[in-house]
Amino acid sequence: MDKKLFSKLVESMTQMNEIARGERAPSREFVVDALGVREIRKSTGLTQSEFAAIVDVQLSTLRNWEQGRRAPTGPARALFRALRADPKNVLRALETAREADSRAA
C-alpha cells in the first residue's frame, strides 16, 4: 500500500476513535429523526400502509420509525434523504421498480 494513503488511513482511524471517545466533534452528521419520517410520509399523501409497501418495509417498522422507537439506518436513511429532497420523482421511481418486479415474478 502507498505510504501516503496508509498515513491518511491511520489518521482517519485516529480521528474516528477521538470522535467515539467524545474528544473531537464529527465534521458532519446526517440525522433523520422520527418526526422527519412521519413528515416525509405525510407530505406524500400516503397512508402508513401504502407508504410502507412502496418503500418495501414492514408496516411495524415504519410505525417504529414514526414513533421514535427506532431510526432508519443505512439504505433506508439514504432513501428518506432522497424522499425529502424530491418526493415526487423518488416515489415514481419506486413505484416503477415495484411494477417491474411484479411483472418479472
Side-chain angles (χ1 to χ4, degrees):
M1 178 183 284
D2 176 12
K3 285 185 179 186
K4 186 176 179 182
L5 178 60
F6 183 76
S7 176
K8 284 185 174 188
L9 181 59
V10 170
E11 180 183 357
S12 176
M13 292 185 317
T14 301
Q15 291 173 355
M16 177 195 67
N17 288 330
E18 291 170 352
I19 291 168
R21 289 189 305 263
E23 298 168 0
R24 171 191 289 261
S27 62
R28 63 181 178 254
E29 287 184 83
F30 298 100
V31 176
V32 177
D33 64 3
L35 293 177
V37 173
R38 180 180 292 127
E39 290 168 359
I40 291 167
R41 178 189 56 81
K42 286 186 173 186
S43 75
T44 68
L46 299 171
T47 66
Q48 285 182 331
S49 297
E50 293 166 335
F51 191 79
I54 288 175
V55 298
D56 199 19
V57 298
Q58 296 291 318
L59 179 57
S60 60
T61 299
L62 177 63
R63 286 181 176 154
N64 283 333
W65 289 341
E66 287 192 1
Q67 295 170 8
R69 289 190 294 262
R70 298 255 182 201
T73 59
R77 181 176 287 211
L79 175 60
F80 281 105
R81 283 198 309 264
L83 281 164
R84 179 176 279 150
D86 190 359
K88 181 180 175 184
N89 287 314
V90 173
L91 287 173
R92 183 181 320 130
L94 289 171
E95 188 62 36
T96 301
R98 192 169 72 155
E99 290 170 0
D101 287 347
S102 67
R103 285 191 302 268

